[in-house]
Amino acid sequence: MAHYFKDRATAGVALSKPLSKYRYDNTAVLALSPGSVLVAEQIAAELHAVLMMLLIEDVQLSQNDSTIIGTLDPRGQFMYNGAYSAGELEEWNSEFHASIEEDKMAKFSTMHRLLGENGIVDDKLLYGRKVILVSSGLKTGLSVASAVNYLKPIKTDMLIAAVPVATVAAVDRLHILTDEIHCLSVVEDYFDTNHYYENNDVPPTELIISKINEIIKNWH
């Protein structure tokens, strides 16, 4: 049965409790979307950890077909959606090549406009740390897969997934991708992530970045 949360901050407080065992470890919290920052902020405050956002953008086939063919990270690295076969991906690449490349360029441009040239992930602050990957909801786990791919060149100590709600398929994927999973609710049929929160207010990007930059002031 699905759990419902008052808001993302409430879910973050609930997740921070089992994660509190890492309070005195060398830990970093990495949110995977602006909405996820509201969850991650509570975890970072409890653990006295640094907080960053790794913005992962979905890339779709075309304006008329919202199928997610892959993801794009701030380095411009594109990763195909592993839910589809090599044959399907090859066919779509042939048929929708121009629109896929156009969407990649648009998403990359948007990321740079929102986050600046260097983004708000400091790779040096991730090196050697236990990294907690936080999402406000996972349907496929593709964003976590993209984050793990981003982290490959960085020697992290441990990867921990923390998410309020996720599908069975996403959790199965997390078992492969990460060393430890904290999930408050596992569901069979996943609705839009907003469905699981009563309050879905997400501050503008400027305020989200401010929350990240001022996390040390909010350590509990």
Side-chain angles (χ1 to χ4, degrees), residues 17-210:
K17 298 185 186 307
L19 288 165
S20 62
K21 62 184 178 180
Y22 294 116
R23 181 166 184 171
Y24 299 104
D25 289 354
N26 197 16
T27 307
V29 180
L30 194 58
L32 303 184
S33 70
S36 300
V37 171
L38 303 181
V39 181
E41 179 185 20
Q42 303 302 318
I43 298 170
E46 177 64 29
L47 271 58
H48 290 191
V50 295
L51 172 62
M52 289 172 273
M53 179 173 68
L54 178 65
L55 191 57
I56 303 295
E57 290 282 5
D58 291 336
V59 176
Q60 60 188 54
L61 290 182
S62 69
Q63 290 184 342
N64 300 320
D65 191 329
S66 58
T67 299
I68 305 302
I69 190 173
T71 56
L72 196 70
D73 71 24
R75 289 198 192 109
Q77 297 178 129
F78 177 74
M79 189 179 75
Y80 283 108
N81 188 344
Y84 301 110
S85 69
E88 288 175 308
L89 294 172
E90 185 176 0
E91 183 178 337
W92 287 336
N93 255 319
S94 175
E95 183 178 353
F96 297 100
H97 179 76
S99 58
I100 291 170
E101 292 303 312
E102 184 179 340
D103 197 34
K104 285 182 189 178
M105 291 177 62
K107 295 292 173 58
F108 193 59
S109 175
T110 298
M111 276 194 282
H112 275 240
R113 187 172 66 251
L114 289 175
L115 306 180
E117 186 65 29
N118 298 316
I120 47 175
V121 177
D122 187 340
D123 293 354
K124 296 189 295 296
L125 292 179
L126 296 171
Y127 184 86
R129 294 184 186 241
K130 292 179 173 66
V131 178
I132 302 174
L133 302 171
V134 182
S135 173
S136 54
L138 291 173
K139 183 176 182 179
T140 65
L142 183 58
S143 60
V144 174
S146 187
V148 171
N149 186 61
Y150 178 92
L151 292 169
K152 278 182 180 178
I154 305 167
K155 187 178 180 182
T156 57
D157 178 49
M158 183 180 184
L159 293 179
I160 302 161
V163 57
V165 58
T167 62
V168 174
V171 171
D172 287 344
R173 196 171 195 176
L174 294 181
H175 278 293
I176 298 170
L177 293 168
T178 63
D179 302 300
E180 185 174 305
I181 303 168
H182 294 270
C183 181
L184 302 176
S185 180
V186 181
V187 298
E188 288 281 355
D189 299 315
Y190 192 89
F191 297 95
D192 180 84
T193 297
N194 287 346
H195 173 81
Y196 300 98
Y197 300 95
E198 294 176 24
N199 182 346
N200 281 290
D201 293 339
V202 176
T205 304
E206 294 78 9
L207 184 53
I208 288 290
I209 293 174
S210 175

